[in-house]
């Protein structure tokens, strides 16, 4: 049996399709979005569906076809054509045929997925079903929840894709009919696919497009074993694999005519040519002197992202901070403070932040404007009584990723990355995140969701300890990065 997800993998990369079939354990699904209500039931309320045929898993195609004779609405109807099995979320009978409704957990659906919807329409067409219109039911970017969830205001129904400015631009069904993909040809190729074939490993842009492929490390394990000055660590380079295949293996030997010329690339090449380290001493000193403070405060949030807003003053796809860690460096003294909450802990978190954050000194975060500042701005909108205090914190925020992002400093041990975890491996190779029970953000989110429903007190204590250790690691590493930069500026 073939599903739409199989076709998407096959079209992206036949090796991905092969490995996904051989590695079923990678299909364990963890939703990035925290969904606290039934999306299906909410959309049914939006569409005014009170009575409908309800499809179930493993339904034969005949069941949905029979239901079309008597039912006005079909929900999760299964159909099959040439071993391709589809599930249509919502179908509505109209005088001209059937209208299709697809749920879209975005606020601005663009035409990127038009080819996927085209497979649904083509299957139904092959079965003799007339598709009159195709709609997307997407989240309303302007909706702000009050005490109760308003399903009517939460969703927007449209038969247009939007442009990147958020305006309707392309009629969905017209776009679908303009797609030239030959479904029958693809299905035939998939049926004849040899699962015993040894496909070559060829890296293309598809390997990292949108999201890095789950099998990237399996396909290209040699990237991790390459030396620190390998050309494969060249940042944002579309030609590095091509040069590598030609025998240009080291950063110091890169073909300067085939690089993009970013500041980060310059720093990498200069570091490789100068003993493994490069920094723009004057620029780094100027930047650091402008942000150095006493006390120096290091802040990190952990948060969960909710598809449908569960609490008042929240928008669709908004985050809710549930934890923070703070390290405070004052002279030679380091103090640590921390917090974890469950449920709607936003105001409680703010109250604790007021107590824990010193009233003076810069507040350092990593990717501050893309993370901590945004979280604080969202909290300010939800709790206007704290707006002045929150703005004072934002005014004191500084981003420790700037010197790395701008190529002011680079050590080849960073291996082309400047995330906090990459810097941790360089500064503290003896103490890495992998030694913790929680080693990255999604694991923290997953454990916090478990904590929110756990009643066993021993497990609650265990979960809290693991979460505290992880978040504290982030701010302790922020402190380490700050001190490392300070040493470089001072010439140590």
């Amino acid at each position: 049996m073939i599903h739409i997800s199989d076709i998407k993998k096959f079209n992206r990369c036949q090796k991905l399709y092969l490995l996904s079939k051989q590695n079923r354990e990678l299909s364990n699904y963890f939703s990035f979005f925290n969904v606290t209500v039934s999306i299906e039931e909410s959309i049914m309320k939006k569409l005014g569906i009170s009575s409908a045929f309800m499809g179930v898993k493993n339904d034969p195609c005949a069941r949905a076809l029979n239901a079309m004779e008597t039912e006005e609405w079909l929900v999760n109807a299964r159909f099959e054509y040439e071993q391709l099995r589809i599930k249509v979320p919502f179908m509505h009978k109209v005088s001209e045929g059937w209208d299709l409704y697809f749920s879209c957990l975005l606020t601005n659906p663009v035409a990127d997925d038009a080819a996927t919807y085209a497979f649904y329409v083509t299957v139904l067409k092959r079965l003799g079903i007339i598709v009159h219109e195709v709609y997307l039911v997407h989240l309303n970017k302007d909706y702000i929840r009050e005490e109760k969830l308003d399903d009517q205001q939460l969703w927007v129904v449209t038969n247009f894709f939007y442009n990147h400015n958020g305006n309707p631009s392309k009629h969905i069904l017209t776009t679908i009919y303009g797609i030239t993909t030959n479904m029958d040809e693809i299905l035939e190729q998939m049926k004849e696919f040899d699962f015993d074939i040894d496909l070559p490993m060829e890296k293309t842009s598809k390997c990292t497009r949108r999201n890095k492929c789950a099998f990237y490390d399996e396909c290209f394990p040699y990237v991790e074993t390459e030396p620190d000055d390998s050309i494969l660590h060249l940042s944002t380079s579309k030609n590095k694999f091509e040069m590598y295949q030609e025998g240009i293996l080291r950063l110091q030997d890169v073909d300067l005519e085939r690089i993009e010329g970013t500041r980060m690339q310059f720093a990498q090449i200069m570091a490789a040519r100068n003993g493994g380290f490069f920094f723009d001493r004057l620029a780094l000193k100027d930047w650091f002197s402008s942000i150095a403070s006493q006390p120096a405060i290091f802040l990190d949030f952990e948060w969960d992202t909710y598809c449908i807003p569960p609490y008042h003053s929240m928008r669709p796809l908004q985050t809710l901070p549930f934890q923070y860690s703070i390290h405070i460096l004052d002279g030679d003294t380091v103090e640590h403070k921390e917090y974890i909450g469950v449920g709607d802990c936003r105001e409680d978190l703010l109250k604790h932040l007021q107590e824990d954050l010193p009233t003076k000194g810069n507040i350092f975060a990593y990717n501050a404007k893309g993370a901590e500042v945004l979280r604080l701005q969202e909290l300010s909108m939800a709790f206007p009584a704290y707006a002045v205090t929150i703005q004072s914190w934002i005014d004191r925020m500084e981003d420790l990723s700037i010197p790395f992002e701008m190529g002011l400093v680079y050590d080849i041990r960073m291996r082309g990355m400047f995330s906090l975890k990459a810097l941790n491996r360089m500064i503290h190779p003896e103490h890495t995140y992998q030694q913790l029970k929680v080693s990255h953000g999604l694991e923290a989110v997953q454990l916090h969701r478990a904590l929110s429903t756990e009643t066993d007190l021993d497990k609650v204590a265990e979960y809290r300890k693991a979460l505290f250790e992880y978040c504290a690691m982030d701010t302790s590493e922020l402190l380490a990065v700050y001190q490392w930069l300070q040493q470089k500026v001072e010439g140590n």
Side-chain angles (χ1 to χ4, degrees):
M1 193 64 63
I2 300 172
H3 296 86
I4 296 291
S5 59
D6 295 322
I7 293 180
K8 292 172 72 174
K9 292 172 184 173
F10 188 82
N11 283 341
R12 178 174 176 177
C13 171
Q14 291 187 9
K15 190 73 176 182
L16 167 62
Y17 176 63
L18 171 65
L19 292 174
S20 67
K21 291 297 184 182
Q22 295 174 343
N23 294 270
R24 288 296 183 179
E25 68 275 8
L26 289 181
S27 65
N28 293 334
Y29 180 68
F30 169 68
S31 174
F32 175 79
F33 295 130
N34 194 338
V35 181
T36 56
V37 300
S38 169
I39 293 173
E40 181 180 287
E41 292 178 6
S42 182
I43 292 179
M44 288 179 69
K45 292 176 183 177
K46 170 67 178 181
L47 298 178
I49 304 174
S50 57
S51 176
F53 162 84
M54 303 295 294
V56 296
K57 189 175 181 180
N58 297 323
D59 262 351
C61 177
R63 186 165 181 259
L65 291 172
N66 291 335
M68 295 176 71
E69 300 294 328
T70 58
E71 299 288 346
E72 178 184 355
W73 282 97
L74 277 66
V75 177
N76 293 330
R78 270 78 170 176
F79 298 94
E80 186 180 326
Y81 169 78
E82 292 293 329
Q83 298 183 31
L84 173 58
R85 188 169 172 82
I86 64 170
K87 178 180 72 173
V88 183
F90 306 95
M91 297 177 64
H92 183 217
K93 182 185 293 184
V94 295
S95 57
E96 301 91 341
W98 289 86
D99 289 344
L100 312 184
Y101 293 82
F102 294 93
S103 58
C104 178
L105 304 185
L106 299 172
T107 58
N108 185 37
V110 294
D112 292 354
D113 291 324
T116 298
Y117 300 126
F119 285 112
Y120 289 88
V121 172
T122 303
V123 167
L124 296 178
K125 183 179 179 181
R126 293 286 195 277
L127 295 175
I129 299 169
I130 298 173
V131 176
H132 169 252
E133 193 60 276
V134 175
Y135 295 94
L136 294 180
V137 187
H138 70 84
L139 293 163
N140 179 5
K141 64 180 176 60
D142 297 320
Y143 174 65
I144 301 175
R145 175 168 175 156
E146 297 181 358
E147 289 305 316
K148 291 186 177 180
L149 185 69
D150 187 334
D151 297 284
Q152 293 300 319
Q153 295 298 316
L154 172 64
W155 301 100
V156 174
V157 180
T158 180
N159 59 350
F160 277 81
F161 291 117
Y162 297 175
N163 60 27
H164 290 283
N165 293 322
N167 299 314
S169 62
K170 295 181 179 180
H171 182 247
I172 296 174
L173 195 56
T174 302
T175 303
I176 287 173
Y177 285 146
I179 293 174
T180 58
T181 302
N182 189 325
M183 186 183 76
D184 294 295
E185 182 179 328
I186 292 173
L187 292 177
E188 191 61 34
Q189 291 175 3
M190 295 178 73
K191 290 176 190 174
E192 296 176 355
F193 185 74
D194 183 1
F195 284 94
D196 295 323
I197 191 173
D198 185 19
L199 289 171
M201 302 295 187
E202 180 182 359
K203 186 181 181 302
T204 71
S205 61
K206 293 181 179 180
C207 298
T208 52
R209 183 180 298 166
R210 287 197 183 180
N211 296 308
K212 182 179 176 181
C213 176
F215 299 101
Y216 182 90
D217 293 334
E218 182 174 340
C219 287
F220 309 105
Y222 60 89
V223 175
E224 289 302 313
T225 60
E226 284 288 306
D228 291 342
D229 66 345
S230 170
I231 195 174
L232 296 183
H233 303 316
L234 186 61
S235 172
T236 60
S237 169
K238 66 179 181 180
N239 296 318
K240 60 185 177 183
F241 273 86
E242 178 182 306
M243 287 188 278
Y244 184 85
Q245 294 299 325
E246 295 172 4
I248 303 174
L249 306 180
R250 300 288 178 262
L251 286 167
Q252 53 267 42
D253 302 321
V254 67
D255 182 352
L256 298 178
E257 296 296 324
R258 286 192 281 172
I259 65 172
E260 290 73 10
T262 66
R263 290 179 63 95
M264 169 61 83
Q265 289 178 338
F266 174 78
Q268 289 183 274
I269 295 167
M270 293 304 294
R273 291 178 176 180
N274 291 281
F277 182 73
F278 165 83
F279 78 114
D280 186 333
R281 182 183 293 275
L282 291 178
L284 184 62
K285 184 176 182 179
D286 183 62
W287 175 82
F288 194 82
S289 63
S290 71
I291 57 94
S293 71
Q294 286 290 324
I297 305 152
F298 305 92
L299 172 66
D300 181 71
F301 287 134
E302 300 299 329
W303 60 82
D304 203 352
T305 304
Y306 289 82
C307 173
I308 295 176
Y311 306 117
H312 74 87
S313 302
M314 288 186 67
R315 297 175 182 269
L317 305 180
Q318 190 169 331
T319 60
L320 188 151
F322 59 80
Q323 179 179 5
Y324 67 72
S325 173
I326 301 171
H327 273 82
I328 304 166
L329 173 65
D330 196 353
D332 295 328
T333 303
V334 177
E335 184 179 7
H336 180 235
K337 298 179 181 293
E338 57 191 0
Y339 169 87
I340 289 180
V342 294
D344 187 6
C345 60
R346 292 172 295 167
E347 187 169 11
D348 189 49
L349 180 144
L350 282 172
K351 290 178 179 177
H352 280 81
L353 266 178
Q354 279 188 310
E355 297 173 2
D356 291 343
L357 282 175
T359 57
K360 64 178 183 178
N362 283 335
I363 302 171
F364 296 94
Y366 211 77
N367 186 28
K369 290 186 178 180
E372 276 65 28
V373 169
L374 287 180
R375 303 293 81 81
L376 290 171
Q377 289 172 337
E378 291 166 352
L379 290 169
S380 180
M381 293 177 64
F383 300 94
Y386 295 83
V388 174
T389 299
I390 291 174
Q391 187 58 49
S392 72
W393 298 336
I394 292 174
D395 292 341
R396 293 157 57 198
M397 293 288 290
E398 298 290 348
D399 189 346
L400 276 182
S401 72
I402 287 177
F404 303 98
E405 183 178 347
M406 295 298 294
L408 302 184
V409 58
Y410 185 78
D411 188 303
I412 61 170
R413 292 175 296 169
M414 292 162 57
R415 299 170 67 83
M417 298 178 286
F418 55 91
S419 67
L420 197 57
K421 290 180 175 61
L423 297 176
N424 161 252
R425 288 194 296 269
M426 178 184 70
I427 298 173
H428 289 140
E430 76 286 352
H431 183 206
T432 68
Y433 284 82
Q434 298 305 317
Q435 296 170 331
L436 303 177
K437 289 187 176 180
V438 174
S439 60
H440 59 78
L442 282 181
E443 284 184 350
V445 170
Q446 194 167 13
L447 192 60
H448 183 261
R449 291 181 190 176
L451 172 66
S452 300
T453 57
E454 185 57 67
T455 57
D456 185 309
L457 295 181
D458 289 337
K459 287 187 177 180
V460 167
E462 176 188 340
Y463 295 168
R464 286 175 62 87
K465 181 176 182 292
L467 288 167
F468 276 137
E469 287 177 346
Y470 173 73
C471 199
M473 181 81 160
D474 277 345
T475 50
S476 67
E477 289 307 311
L478 278 171
L479 169 59
V481 170
Y482 179 89
Q483 293 176 322
W484 185 80
L485 289 170
Q486 186 176 43
Q487 291 171 359
K488 299 303 178 186
V489 167
E490 294 174 353
N492 297 327

